[in-house]
Every structure is written in C-alpha cells, then in structure tokens.
C-alpha cells in the first residue's frame, strides 16, 4: 500500500517503495507539492493543517503529476504525533481514483445536460412524493409564477388554491384527483394561477402517477407545468378576429368559397348560396351548378379566366353576370387566389358579392359624366386655381415642398451650368410658438419668407418645405464664395428683430449648402444639403456649412456606430468590469466599482468613451446601466456563493435612469440586501441640478438600502448646500485631483480639506486614481477612508476578481 509521511510544511519526511513506484516514478522529491497538480496545492495545504489541528482523519481528492495529464487520487490523511513538543506529521495513503472520478464527471455532465434541456424547454418540473412527504419544484416551475428560488411556497393545498383563479378552482381539484387516479383524459389540463406580481398566468399541467401502494393509492406523481399564457392570448385573439370577420362578412353580404381542382368539388358558405338565389350551404361539383348560372355572353370568358390563373398564386379579380333561377339578372364581382395546400392539392379560395346596384349606379354616373364634360371650360379654370393652391404654401404664398421637388428635378445640372441648394432651418422658432402662440409664429414665418425673397436673385427659387424649413435653389451659382456671401446675407436679414403685437421677436438661421455639377440627381443634392445643415446645427447654429465628403463620412460613421450600439445592447455585449476598493488603513477589500465595457462581436474590448457619447444621443444609457446592474448583482451573488466577502458593489446610474418612474419597482424585484449596493451619481449632473422629484427618488433609494455616492467630486461646481441636500453615503475625489498630490503641497491641502468636509458631514471619502505606493502613503496620512486605483487593483472581469481574492485568501492562510 503506497504511504508517505509529510511535515506540516508539506516536506516529505519518508515514503515507502509502493508510493515511489505508483506516485513518484521519477524519484522522491523533497516537497510533496512537487508531485501535486498546482490547482490542488491549496486544498492539500488546508487538509494537512486541519488534520493536525483537529487531530482526526480526513479524506481528500487531489491530482498527481506523474508525466502526462493530471491523475486523480483519493488520499486518506492520518495525524502522526512525533513528540509532546512537536505538532507531528501527517501520513498520506493515496489510492488511484481516476476511473471513479471519470465516472463521476460523466454522471455530472449527463445531469447537467438533462437539467439544461429542461431549462431550455421552459418546462417547470414538479414531483409529489406522498410516501416520503416530499415535494420538489424546479427553478423554471418557480419562474413561471414569478418566484425566486428562495421565495416560500404555499404551506398547504388550501393556501395554494387561493392563488388559483376562482373560476378554475373546482375544475383543478377534480383534475388533480382524476390525474392521481390515472384517468388519461386528465393527464393534461389547463388552469390560471396568480403570478407573484398579480397578473394571471395560464398553465398547462401534465402529470402521471408513477408509483402506487398495494391498494392502488398514488404514492408519487411527477409532471411538468408550461406557461401557455401567450398561446391562450393568441387563441383568444384568433376567436376575436374570427367573430369580427364573420360579422364583417355578414354585414357586407360577401360569400366565401373554396374550390379543390384535384377532387373536383367546391365548398360554398350560406352567403354564396344566397347570392345565387339558393338555400343552404355545402359542396357543389366543379363544372355543374355555378357554371350553369353564368350569363351565356360571359361564361366562356369567366371560365377561361379561372383556368388561366389556376397555375399562378397571384390574386385575380373578375366581374360577370349570372341568371338566377327566377330569370333575374345579377352582376357578381369575384376576388380569388389559387394555392397548393399541405396535401399537394391545387385549390382556389375566393369571395363573391352582388354588385348589381353598383353597376346601376355606375351607369348613372356615366350619364352624369357626360353632363360634367359639357361644363369642362368652367372646371378647367377651377382646376387651375386648385393647382395653384396645391403647389403653394397657404401661409407664406411661397411654393411648397411638392412644387420645390418638381423644380429641383427640372433644374438638374446640365453641361456648363451649376445648381446649388440652400437648406434653411430657423433657430429659436419653437420658443416663439411656445411663448407667444402660433399666431406669432405664423407672423414670423411670413416675415422670414419676405426677407428671403429680398435676398435672392429674380431667377432663384424660394420655397417653404416644412414648419420652419425653407430652401433656395440657385442656378448659375458662380463660386463657393458667392454662395457663402448669400448665406451670410440671409442669416443677417433673418436675424434682424421683428415686432408682433408690441413683442420683439428674434430668430436665427442655420444653412446647409450643397452644389452639384452635371450628373448629380435632385434627390442626392437635397440629401447633401440636409447633411450640411445637420453639421451647421451641431456647430452651434446661426451659421452655414457646405457639404463635404468628410461631413458625409462623419454622419455615416455616426449612423453605423448608433446601429452597432443598438445591436450590441440587444446582444448584451455591454459587460461589467470590476475594480476593487480597499480600506485605506488595513487595505482590506471593502467594495468593488462596476465599470462598463463593450465586448464587441469582433473581439475588441472598447472603453466607455468610445460609445457613451453616442449612447447619450440615442437615449439608451439608462438601458445600458440596467444591463450592467443586473449582471453585477448576479456576479455578486456568485462571489458570495464561492465564499468571497465583497461587502458592497458600486454602479454608475445616469440621470435618465434615475428619472425612470418604474426604477423602484424594478429594484424591489431584485431583492437587493441593504447596504450591498451603491449608486454613483456624477457630481456635474446631479448636485446643483437636483429638483424636488429627484431628491424624493434618492430618499426612496435609501429606504431600499441602496447607498448613494457622488462620483468625480471636485470636477464640477457643486456647493456644500447641494451636498447636504443629496446626503450621500460617500464621495469619490476625482482622479485629476489625486494625480499630483505627490508633487504638490497645494494639492495635498486641497485633498485634506475635502476629507475634512466629508468627515464633518459624516460622509466617507473615496480616492480614485491611486496609481503609486506614494499615493497610498499620502492618502493614508491625510485620513482618506477608501482607496481605489491601479496601484492596488486594475479593472478586471468576474474571473479576475476571483483570482485576486483567491490569492489574498491563500496569502492569509500561509500567514
């Protein structure tokens, strides 16, 4: 039997030949760890220590390195006292466990595969073992009802029945009893149960008795629950639409038919029979009844139309006359479509309706048309007036967008000529509408229209194409400088004050200019002017910009980036990185800050400044915050499950996220332990702009046990009064203030003052950007509470934090 004696420090004291042959063929080393796989060093050290401390045997699984892959062994550890003064040694007896371990891993893999299959199928598993008085419900079963794994279940059947819809309770009790009895008609039944948040969930319950006692009584019933709420809603919607369609067909008098060309029959509904003056509904033969009723003058054409379209699946229409059995002539309109059903039969479905009265009306209208044509001269004049109205803006009398597009198309550049478009958008016009009313806005638009016409040449074209948007089409434009001068003149004229009912109004103008040579389309020219206008507005308004390829590239890049960011949000590519925070005195881990990164699908890891500005424009920063928070909370639970103590995680929260009226309800559902989560608020956004509603929301967050921290303190202009209003738990000094403290006494005094302010207000002070050991030393002397920075720990994903905490734990054990 292989035996080896090791000291508390894991030095090999002695080992027999059997151990050498089996576990140390290359020769007996001095240190036992030289034979053990590195990932199991910590386990062996801890096991030896416990055997000696508790003076009792233990069994440990560990891997030996004997050339090739690690080899599993099961070792019994027995304490061996040497003398009263010595702590003794440990006798290790390893046996080969490779085959058992492989079988265990295979079993675990099969169980994992089965569990994953159940989870991915959204089936909630339940198991009622009456013999053992045990009941099991899977996490998916709980999820269907909105329950977390730790939520308590109903203590009795009566208490559970209170969650069942009142209309379903008696039926559910009967179904459960019949299911226990093995009635196949009740192996599956449906009912409604109340979700945790209050709404009703439709559940399809499948179950069967798998074990009975000698008397046939059910001992064990196993089954699955499926959430069929969406299916039931779809069924209800289908019934609703069917009723609506039936009502529409009833009111309109439309008859529906379906013909099967392969079987030679057609099915008519009651309305089809009624349209053709017959009673009943059902099957008729193709080539029989319907064909016999067709008017002789239409019959050949109509039948030929059907057979010509039967090989195509495009819908087609027809209009024909029929002779009813009483001799009455009616006109029918049909709309039909051919298709191939799942059995491969060529079919046609269609609708018929009686348009006899419509035909009579149409004939009457044709007679009226003849009378109308007699007055064509008068109508022609009226048409001219209508055309003018259709092509001009009623408010300014300028040409409208339709007229502008026609003129621009006609003005497409020809050889030896140029065309330019100036797209003009008024600045501050909305404020006039909002403050003085729409009548004032209308007056401003009329004045602007007159000023525009006064700025351009007689042959230039001016139009109003939208609310406060105007365009000018210039031909024979000359140089870019001439266009620039024209734009400056327009901006100057429009910017002059004007009066409305004793109120002085001022508006500005932003102008985008695009010119084209031969070959540029009208649509492209207007699009280029729009791009230039966008750039002018982004520069600060009241200016003009020419279209350029760089502007196009800028907008195209912004569009691609925005699309990529939206895709990344759906794909959950925004992931948290974590930077540990340390107590300034003991350097113990007191928290972790969550930092967002973009794990791009192309493999790049992008920092926040590469996507947050665009995310702000898209209004999705709050959504990114929510994804990061959800993942960070899940990671925190995983750390705790691994035995690591991280007292608190801090996450950034945007102003839009804080303004979300549903934020509190969402946070309550997350069941966050009080004091384990902090929201970081940007000083420049929150402090001096905090209104009453925001302060109330902050107070509600505190009631949930969520701490508040002011981020980047010192980078903005917050007042002490603002700090008192927000009452944060902590404030983080901006890294730019920390950066120069080793070289600047003045900077040290500033940091000391901030720390003193924090202490006087009962607010913890966190220093970020701690890059060197000198930073650590100075901040400890200045009395800072918490340190964070590259000198102590770099931002890292989840696994990196696990590695750091594991190394710290091993270091503590060795000490």
């Amino acid at each position: 039997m292989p035996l080896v004696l090791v000291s508390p420090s894991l030095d090999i004291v002695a080992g027999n030949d059997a151990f050498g042959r089996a576990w140390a063929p290359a020769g007996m080393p001095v240190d036992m760890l030289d034979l053990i796989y590195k990932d199991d060093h910590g386990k062996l050290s801890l096991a030896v220590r416990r055997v000696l401390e508790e003076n009792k045997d233990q069994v440990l699984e560990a891997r030996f390195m004997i050339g090739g892959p690690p080899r599993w062994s099961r070792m019994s550890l027995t304490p061996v006292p040497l003398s009263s003064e010595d702590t003794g040694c440990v006798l290790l007896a390893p046996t080969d466990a490779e085959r058992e371990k492989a079988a265990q891993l295979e079993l675990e893999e099969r169980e994992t595969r089965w569990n994953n299959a159940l989870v991915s199928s959204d089936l909630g598993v339940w198991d009622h073992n009456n013999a053992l008085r045990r009941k099991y419900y899977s996490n998916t079963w709980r999820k269907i009802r909105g329950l977390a794994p730790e939520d308590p279940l109903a203590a009795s059947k009566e208490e559970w029945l209170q969650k069942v819809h009142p209309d379903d309770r008696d039926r559910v009790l009967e179904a459960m009893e019949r299911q226990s009895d093995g009635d196949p008609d009740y192996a599956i039944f449906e009912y409604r149960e109340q979700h945790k948040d209050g709404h009703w969930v439709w559940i399809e319950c499948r179950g069967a008795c798998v074990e009975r006692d000698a008397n046939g009584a059910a001992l064990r019933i196993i089954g699955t629950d499926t959430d069929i709420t969406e299916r039931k809603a779809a069924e209800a919607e289908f019934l609703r639409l069917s009723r609506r369609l039936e009502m529409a067909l009833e009111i309109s008098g439309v008859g529906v038919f379906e013909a099967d060309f392969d079987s030679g029959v057609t099915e008519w509904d009651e309305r089809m029979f009624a349209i053709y003056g017959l009673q009943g509904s059902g099957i008729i033969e193709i080539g029989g009844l319907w064909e016999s009723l067709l008017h002789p003058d239409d019959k050949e054409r109509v039948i030929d139309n059907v057979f010509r379209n039967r090989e195509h699946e495009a819908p087609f229409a027809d209009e024909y006359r029929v002779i009813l059995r009483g001799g009455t002539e009616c006109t029918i309109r049909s709309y039909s479509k051919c298709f191939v059903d799942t059995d491969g039969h060529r079919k046609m479905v269609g609708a018929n309706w009686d348009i006899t009265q419509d035909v009579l009306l149409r004939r009457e209208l044709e007679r009226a048309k003849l009378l109308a044509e007699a007055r064509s001269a008068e109508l022609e004049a009226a048409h001219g007036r209508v055309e003018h109205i259709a092509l001009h803006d009623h408010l300014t009398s300028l040409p409208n967008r339709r007229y502008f597009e026609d003129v621009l198309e006609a003005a497409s550049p020809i050889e030896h000529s140029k065309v330019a478009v100036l797209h003009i958008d008024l600045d501050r016009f909305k404020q006039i509408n909002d403050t003085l009313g729409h009548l004032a806005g209308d007056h401003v638009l009329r004045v602007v229209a007159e000023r525009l016409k006064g700025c351009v040449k007689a042959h230039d074209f001016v139009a109003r194409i939208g609310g406060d948007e105007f365009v000018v089409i210039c031909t024979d434009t000359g140089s870019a400088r001439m266009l620039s001068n024209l734009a400056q003149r327009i901006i100057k004229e429009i910017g002059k004050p004007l009066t409305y009912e004793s109120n002085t109004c001022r508006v500005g103008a932003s102008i985008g200019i695009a010119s084209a040579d031969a070959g540029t389309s009208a649509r492209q020219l207007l699009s280029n002017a729009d791009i230039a206008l966008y750039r002018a507005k982004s520069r600060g308004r009241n200016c003009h910009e020419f279209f350029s390829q760089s502007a196009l590239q800028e907008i195209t890049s912004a569009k691609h980036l925005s699309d990529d960011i939206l895709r990344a949000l759906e794909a959950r590519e925004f992931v948290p990185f974590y930077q540990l925070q340390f107590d300034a005195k003991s350097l113990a881990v007191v928290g972790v800050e969550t930092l967002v990164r973009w794990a791009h699908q192309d493999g790049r890891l992008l920092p926040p400044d590469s996507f947050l500005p665009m995310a702000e424009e898209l209004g999705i920063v709050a959504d990114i915050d929510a994804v990061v928070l959800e993942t960070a909370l899940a990671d925190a639970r995983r750390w705790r499950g691994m035995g690591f103590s991280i007292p608190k995680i801090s996450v950034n929260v945007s102003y839009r996220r804080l303004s979300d009226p549903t934020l509190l309800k969402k946070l309550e559902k997350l069941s966050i332990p009080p004091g384990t989560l902090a929201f970081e608020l940007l000083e420049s956004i929150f402090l001096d702009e905090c209104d009453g509603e925001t302060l109330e929301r902050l107070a509600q967050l505190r009631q949930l046990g969520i701490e508040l921290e002011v981020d980047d303190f010192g980078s903005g202009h917050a007042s002490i009064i603002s700090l008192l209003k927000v009452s944060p738990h902590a404030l983080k000094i901006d890294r730019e203030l920390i950066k120069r403290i080793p070289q600047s006494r003045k900077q040290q005094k500033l940091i000391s003052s901030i720390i003193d302010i924090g202490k006087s207000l009962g607010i913890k002070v966190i220093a970020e950007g701690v890059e060197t050991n000198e930073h650590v030393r100075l901040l400890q002397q200045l009395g800072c509470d918490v340190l964070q920075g590259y000198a102590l720990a770099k931002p890292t994903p989840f696994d990196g934090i696990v590695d750091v905490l594991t190394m710290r734990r091993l270091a503590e054990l060795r000490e």
Side-chain angles (χ1 to χ4, degrees):
M1 178 178 183
L3 297 172
V4 62
L5 189 66
V6 299
S7 69
S9 61
L10 300 181
D11 292 334
I12 295 178
V13 177
N16 62 10
D17 292 340
F19 177 82
R21 289 192 301 272
W23 303 104
M28 194 77 69
V30 175
D31 192 337
M32 183 66 185
L33 292 181
D34 291 340
L35 296 175
I36 301 299
Y37 185 55
K38 63 178 180 179
D39 289 356
D40 295 342
H41 286 183
K43 290 198 301 183
L44 179 60
S45 299
L46 185 60
V48 168
R49 181 177 175 181
R50 285 182 176 173
V51 167
L52 293 174
E53 289 177 350
E54 299 172 7
N55 195 29
K56 62 180 182 180
D57 294 355
Q58 282 198 18
V59 176
L60 172 68
E61 288 185 348
R63 288 163 287 184
F64 276 76
M65 296 300 298
I66 317 174
R71 177 177 162 193
W72 280 100
S73 74
R74 180 174 289 106
M75 291 188 284
S76 61
L77 286 74
T78 304
V80 179
L82 297 181
S83 67
S84 59
E85 292 81 13
D86 202 317
T87 56
C89 293
V90 176
L91 183 65
L92 276 66
T95 59
D96 193 334
E98 186 68 23
R99 182 174 299 175
E100 295 177 15
K101 195 64 178 181
Q104 176 189 345
L105 293 174
E106 182 180 357
L107 178 60
E108 290 175 354
E109 183 178 358
R110 282 203 297 265
E111 289 180 351
T112 300
R113 188 182 301 121
W114 173 244
N115 288 334
N116 289 339
L118 284 176
V119 170
S120 63
S121 65
D122 289 332
L123 293 177
V125 179
W126 51 269
D127 183 352
H128 293 178
N129 194 326
N130 298 329
L132 300 178
R133 295 185 179 181
R134 293 180 183 172
K135 293 184 177 181
Y136 164 79
Y137 302 95
S138 70
N139 287 339
T140 303
W141 185 96
R142 291 171 174 268
K143 182 181 177 183
I144 290 172
R145 295 155 174 84
L147 300 174
E150 66 273 8
D151 286 342
L153 301 176
S156 64
K157 180 187 290 184
E158 290 71 21
E159 182 180 342
W160 171 75
L161 277 173
Q162 297 305 309
K163 295 286 186 181
V164 176
H165 196 285
D167 296 344
D168 298 344
R169 288 173 187 166
D170 293 340
R171 181 168 54 81
V172 167
L173 285 173
E174 181 185 4
M176 292 172 62
E177 182 177 349
R178 300 285 287 274
Q179 196 177 78
S180 299
D181 293 340
D183 189 335
D185 292 337
Y186 288 86
I188 304 173
F189 63 90
E190 300 171 356
Y191 70 97
R192 288 163 289 183
E193 187 171 336
Q194 193 171 33
H195 193 274
K196 183 179 179 181
D197 64 12
H199 70 271
W200 295 104
V201 179
W202 272 101
I203 294 174
E204 180 182 80
C205 176
R206 295 173 177 260
C209 179
V210 298
E211 187 177 346
R212 299 183 183 276
D213 62 14
N215 298 320
L219 292 179
R220 189 175 185 187
I221 306 170
I222 299 177
T224 61
D225 285 0
T226 306
D227 185 347
I228 60 171
T229 306
E230 291 186 4
R231 190 184 81 192
K232 298 295 285 188
E235 291 173 357
E237 178 67 9
F238 176 76
L239 289 175
R240 185 181 69 84
L241 292 175
S242 297
R243 287 192 294 269
R244 181 183 296 178
L245 177 60
E246 182 66 25
M247 180 66 74
L249 292 173
E250 185 70 34
I251 294 172
S252 64
V254 173
V256 177
F257 70 88
E258 182 176 301
D260 187 333
F261 294 113
D262 292 337
S263 64
V265 297
T266 301
E267 182 177 0
W268 282 14
D269 66 4
E270 292 181 0
R271 284 180 292 274
M272 279 290 291
F273 276 85
I275 288 171
Y276 288 87
L278 305 171
Q279 297 289 329
S281 63
I283 302 297
I284 67 170
E285 296 290 332
I286 294 177
L289 176 63
W290 176 69
E291 288 82 355
S292 69
L293 297 174
L294 292 173
H295 193 287
D297 294 343
D298 296 345
K299 184 174 183 178
E300 183 178 352
R301 175 185 59 81
V302 173
I303 294 176
D304 181 64
N305 190 32
V306 169
F307 279 88
R308 188 171 59 253
N309 285 282
R310 63 182 290 181
E311 300 302 325
H312 309 286
E313 296 189 0
F316 65 97
D318 205 345
E319 187 176 306
Y320 49 85
R321 293 164 293 172
V322 295
I323 306 297
L324 305 185
R325 289 184 175 175
T328 304
E329 179 181 309
C330 292
T331 304
I332 304 296
R333 179 170 293 158
S334 69
Y335 193 80
S336 309
K337 186 179 189 302
C338 293
F339 66 97
V340 178
D341 70 4
T342 55
D343 294 329
H345 284 211
R346 173 68 60 178
K347 291 185 176 182
M348 182 174 71
V349 65
N352 285 186
W353 60 99
D354 187 342
I355 62 166
T356 305
Q357 295 301 318
D358 295 343
V359 171
L360 295 175
L361 177 60
R362 186 168 61 200
R363 291 170 182 168
E364 185 65 30
L365 289 174
E366 287 175 354
R367 287 192 293 268
K369 179 185 177 183
L370 294 175
L371 294 175
E373 288 175 349
R375 294 185 289 177
S376 61
E378 182 182 347
L379 291 175
E380 190 67 28
H383 175 73
R385 292 192 297 271
V386 171
E387 185 70 16
H388 182 273
I389 293 172
L391 294 176
H392 287 77
D393 171 40
H394 73 283
L395 181 64
T396 63
S397 297
L398 289 176
N400 60 15
R401 187 179 194 96
R402 176 183 166 188
Y403 195 176
F404 157 73
E405 290 175 349
D406 291 344
V407 170
L408 183 60
E409 193 70 39
S412 294
I414 59 176
E415 191 175 358
H416 307 304
S417 69
K418 285 189 176 181
V419 174
V421 170
L422 282 71
H423 191 173
I424 304 159
D425 186 84
L426 300 185
D427 302 327
R428 300 185 300 278
F429 177 73
K430 184 177 183 299
Q431 289 88 324
I432 293 176
N433 263 343
D434 293 343
T435 56
L436 300 180
H438 290 285
L439 291 178
D442 292 346
H443 176 70
V444 170
L445 291 173
R446 284 190 289 268
V447 172
V448 168
E450 291 301 318
R451 291 179 177 178
L452 264 178
K453 289 191 290 186
C455 290
V456 301
K457 299 176 182 177
H459 58 269
D460 290 337
F461 181 85
V462 181
R464 179 189 177 209
I465 63 171
D468 61 346
E469 292 183 69
F470 297 84
V471 289
V472 176
I473 300 177
C474 298
T475 55
D476 297 323
T477 57
S479 66
R481 182 174 181 179
M482 292 176 63
L483 288 172
S484 181
N485 291 338
L486 173 59
Q488 291 287 18
R489 186 162 63 250
I490 291 173
I491 292 171
K492 180 180 179 181
E493 287 299 315
I494 290 178
K496 290 179 180 178
L498 56 95
T499 303
Y500 174 76
E501 293 185 352
S502 75
N503 294 298
T504 300
C505 305
R506 291 179 182 273
V507 293
S510 297
I511 303 177
I513 307 172
S515 57
D517 296 316
T520 304
S521 69
R523 178 177 296 181
Q524 185 62 51
L525 187 57
L526 181 58
S527 175
N528 292 348
D530 287 341
I531 292 171
L533 175 61
Y534 174 83
R535 196 166 193 181
K537 282 187 168 294
S538 66
R539 280 186 52 202
R541 305 173 185 271
N542 212 36
C543 63
H544 70 277
E545 278 286 329
F546 281 88
F547 169 79
S548 65
Q549 287 301 320
S550 62
L552 176 61
Q553 182 62 39
E554 180 182 321
I555 289 180
T556 303
S557 298
K559 175 65 168 59
H560 289 166
L561 178 60
S562 63
D563 291 343
D564 204 15
I565 288 175
L566 292 173
R567 178 203 57 75
L569 183 59
E570 292 180 359
R572 298 183 74 88
E573 291 180 6
F574 294 105
V575 297
F577 267 48
Y578 303 99
Q579 188 170 32
L580 290 169
Q581 298 173 328
F582 301 86
D583 180 88
K585 294 180 180 178
S586 65
L587 294 184
V589 173
V590 295
V592 63
E593 181 185 2
T594 306
L595 308 167
V596 64
R597 297 290 187 269
W598 181 1
H600 200 280
Q601 63 177 1
D602 64 8
R604 292 178 296 158
L605 188 65
L606 304 178
D609 57 4
S610 67
F611 58 84
L612 281 184
M614 179 57 72
E616 284 282 3
E617 287 189 28
L618 295 172
I620 62 168
V621 173
D623 300 301
I624 294 175
D625 287 350
V627 170
V628 171
L629 173 60
E630 179 184 340
T631 307
L633 290 174
D635 286 348
R637 288 191 293 270
R638 291 168 64 195
W639 285 324
R640 287 195 292 272
M642 298 168 72
F644 296 124
S645 174
I646 298 182
K648 179 188 66 178
I649 62 172
S650 302
V651 297
N652 290 309
V653 61
S654 65
Y655 194 85
R656 187 185 294 270
R657 172 76 166 156
L658 193 67
S659 303
D660 181 1
T662 66
L663 174 62
L664 294 175
K665 289 186 178 180
K666 293 176 181 176
L667 292 173
E668 288 172 353
K669 291 181 180 179
L670 296 176
S671 302
I672 303 168
T676 62
L677 175 65
F679 277 176
E680 293 191 5
L681 319 176
L682 280 178
E683 174 202 25
S684 57
I685 296 178
F686 284 92
L687 289 184
D688 282 353
E689 297 183 8
C690 256
D691 53 21
E693 183 178 349
T694 303
L695 290 174
E696 182 180 354
R697 185 66 50 80
L698 295 178
Q700 292 168 337
L701 290 175
R702 291 192 201 91
Q703 291 175 2
L704 290 178
I706 296 174
E707 297 179 356
L708 304 176
E709 297 178 356
V710 174
D711 196 12
D712 295 342
F713 187 81
S715 63
H717 53 277
S719 63
I720 300 301
I721 294 176
S722 300
L723 203 61
L724 289 171
K725 284 195 300 183
V726 173
S727 299
H729 179 78
L731 59 84
K732 298 181 70 174
I733 304 175
D734 185 74
R735 65 180 66 250
E736 289 300 318
L737 298 179
I738 299 296
K739 184 177 181 180
R740 295 188 298 276
I741 61 171
Q743 298 84 27
S744 172
R745 292 285 299 170
K746 182 179 179 181
Q747 205 75 1
Q748 293 176 24
K749 290 180 180 180
L750 175 59
I751 299 302
S752 178
S753 299
I754 294 175
I755 293 172
D756 290 341
I757 291 172
K759 292 185 182 301
S760 66
L761 297 177
I763 300 172
K764 283 188 176 181
V765 177
I766 304 171
E768 58 180 349
V770 180
E771 308 296 340
T772 65
N773 291 332
E774 183 66 9
H775 279 121
V776 175
R777 185 185 66 80
L778 288 172
L779 289 166
Q780 287 174 332
Q781 291 178 355
L782 294 172
C784 190
D785 297 301
V786 178
L787 306 180
Q788 175 184 342
Y790 276 44
L792 300 170
K794 296 181 179 180
T796 182
F798 173 87
D799 292 336
I801 296 294
V802 172
D803 292 342
V804 172
L805 296 179
T806 301
M807 294 301 295
R808 289 175 66 91
R809 176 184 289 176
L810 291 175
E812 292 171 358
L813 290 174
R814 291 193 180 100
E815 292 174 1

